[in-house]
Amino acid sequence: MRRARSYPRNDRRLSEEVELIQLPGVEIRPHSAMAHDAFLASADDLWFSLRILIAFRFRLYPRTLAEFRETTGEFSRTWHPIPVEPRQIEDNHVDPPFFGVVDCLLARAAVTLARHKAHRELLHAAAFGYANSYKTFLFEGGLTSCVEAIERLVTAFELTVSLAREALDRKEWRKIAGKLKKAVDTMGLADSNARLVKRSLAAPVTLSLEERVLRMVKAQRKQWKPSDRQLLEGLGRMIKARNAIVHGRLVEDINEVYVELVRARALFERLFLRFLNCPGFECSGYPQLIVAQHEDKRSRAQQRTDGVARYGTGAPSARS
């Protein structure tokens, strides 16, 4: 999408111009006799699904004119229909999340979302988190937003197939935790330390985000190509970089953050399309190229480091 931004100089004013997407107007009529209120609720329900898909495809927030009112202890919001500007020519500097006819995706994916109505709020947050990773000026903000989107998508998937985040059943864990707490009492720890250890045993051990993502990929394994699986090889580094940013630790190599942002976006696109039962839509292979080049550079740097550590700085070169 074409965007134009200007930066404030000597005043606090900031202008932003964002191209709006033209949505076709469609007159929808009920297939059979339906009460007016029920039809409006059904149409609103369909729009919510389309809103998720539009945010994903165009990496923008579909907005209508909203009126907000805030009083003591109360907040209200009223939506108003507004005309949409005509679509302009797109800049093709950034590949779309998938290649194919958008209408086909909307028609097929809306059916899938209708089956997962109970979890659409999570999917809505996931799609908007992915879109937000393209709107932030900082790689760090984009990475944290996109990894959070992946985590929300994984959570929605787990809820649809009744998978738990805990590595062990809670009933089974209580038995194990009871024995561990008794062992803590025999270790002679200070009371304050013993309480801290026992408190850490209150909840069952949970799967890491990396394990949960791989579990989702395993469920979709027939739809994942070998080239797409290459993105999973650095999954742990992507999560580690995001955790370092969230917890205030310094990530010294900005290229590392950029590559992991590219990986996160590509992984979300593939996970989301397969969750929507739309594996036939092809994604760009450019992220794999970026990741592969970075991995090759990392491997060669590690080999040089290992060579120096093994032979010392005075080691003979290959030419001698």
Side-chain angles (χ1 to χ4, degrees):
M1 289 297 165
R2 182 182 293 122
R3 294 185 179 85
R5 296 176 185 269
S6 63
Y7 296 88
R9 302 194 177 187
N10 298 323
D11 55 47
R12 300 176 59 188
R13 290 176 294 178
L14 172 66
S15 63
E16 177 178 351
E17 179 183 347
V18 179
E19 178 186 345
L20 299 179
I21 300 172
Q22 180 183 14
L23 300 179
V26 179
E27 182 179 356
I28 304 176
R29 298 183 180 182
H31 294 290
S32 58
M34 179 182 292
H36 179 70
D37 292 341
F39 174 71
L40 290 180
S42 178
D44 185 66
D45 183 67
L46 175 61
W47 163 241
F48 188 75
S49 294
L50 295 178
R51 177 185 175 90
I52 296 173
L53 301 173
I54 291 169
F56 169 62
R57 167 58 182 86
F58 295 100
R59 298 166 180 148
L60 287 174
Y61 305 156
R63 294 192 184 103
T64 55
L65 181 63
E67 177 185 358
F68 300 93
R69 293 184 180 182
E70 185 174 0
T71 59
T72 304
E74 185 177 352
F75 178 83
S76 63
R77 178 174 58 189
T78 305
W79 298 101
H80 301 281
I82 57 172
V84 182
E85 295 179 0
R87 181 182 299 176
Q88 300 176 9
I89 299 175
E90 269 190 21
D91 290 333
N92 294 319
H93 299 308
V94 181
D95 288 332
F98 63 88
F99 300 108
V101 181
V102 179
D103 295 358
C104 295
L105 175 85
L106 297 179
R108 183 163 186 172
V111 176
T112 302
L113 291 176
R115 292 199 299 265
H116 303 308
K117 185 176 180 180
H119 312 306
R120 283 189 310 172
E121 290 289 351
L122 270 175
L123 297 171
H124 180 262
F128 272 60
Y130 164 78
N132 187 61
S133 74
Y134 283 90
K135 295 179 71 67
T136 179
F137 290 107
L138 300 176
F139 291 155
E140 292 87 347
L143 178 60
T144 56
S145 180
C146 199
V147 174
E148 287 172 4
I150 292 174
E151 189 164 9
R152 292 188 179 106
L153 176 58
V154 171
T155 301
F157 163 75
E158 291 169 344
L159 292 172
T160 58
V161 295
S162 302
L163 288 175
R165 294 180 58 179
E166 292 78 13
L168 295 172
D169 180 76
R170 287 185 174 272
K171 187 175 181 180
E172 183 181 358
W173 173 251
R174 281 195 293 268
K175 297 178 181 178
I176 297 173
K179 295 179 181 179
L180 292 175
K181 290 178 181 179
K182 291 179 181 179
V184 171
D185 293 333
T186 64
M187 298 176 65
L189 298 176
D191 291 343
S192 58
N193 292 336
R195 284 196 296 269
L196 290 174
V197 174
K198 290 181 180 180
R199 188 170 65 185
S200 68
L201 299 173
V205 178
T206 58
L207 298 173
S208 66
L209 177 58
E210 181 177 1
E211 291 170 327
R212 294 168 61 202
V213 171
L214 292 176
R215 183 170 63 175
M216 182 175 179
V217 172
K218 184 178 180 180
Q220 304 172 341
R221 59 186 178 275
K222 294 182 179 179
Q223 302 171 358
W224 279 72
K225 299 179 180 179
S227 58
D228 293 335
R229 291 182 179 275
Q230 295 176 1
L231 296 168
L232 299 170
E233 295 177 2
L235 181 59
R237 286 193 295 274
M238 180 193 78
I239 298 172
K240 183 179 179 181
R242 174 257 195 171
N243 291 342
I245 295 169
V246 170
H247 295 293
R249 296 190 293 272
L250 177 64
V251 181
E252 297 181 355
D253 187 0
I254 190 62
N255 290 321
E256 185 84 16
V257 179
Y258 169 69
V259 170
E260 298 310 329
L261 171 59
V262 171
R263 188 197 308 273
R265 288 169 174 168
L267 283 175
F268 181 87
E269 291 162 4
R270 285 151 179 79
L271 288 168
F272 196 52
L273 285 172
R274 285 151 181 79
F275 179 85
L276 295 174
N277 194 28
C278 298
F281 290 87
E282 295 289 338
C283 298
S284 171
Y286 188 57
Q288 287 96 317
L289 177 62
I290 294 177
V291 172
Q293 289 178 341
H294 184 74
E295 296 292 349
D296 181 63
K297 182 179 178 181
R298 175 201 294 274
S299 177
R300 286 187 277 109
Q302 186 62 43
Q303 289 175 2
R304 289 194 298 268
T305 302
D306 293 343
V308 171
R310 180 176 301 176
Y311 301 110
T313 55
S317 64
R319 293 182 180 179
S320 62

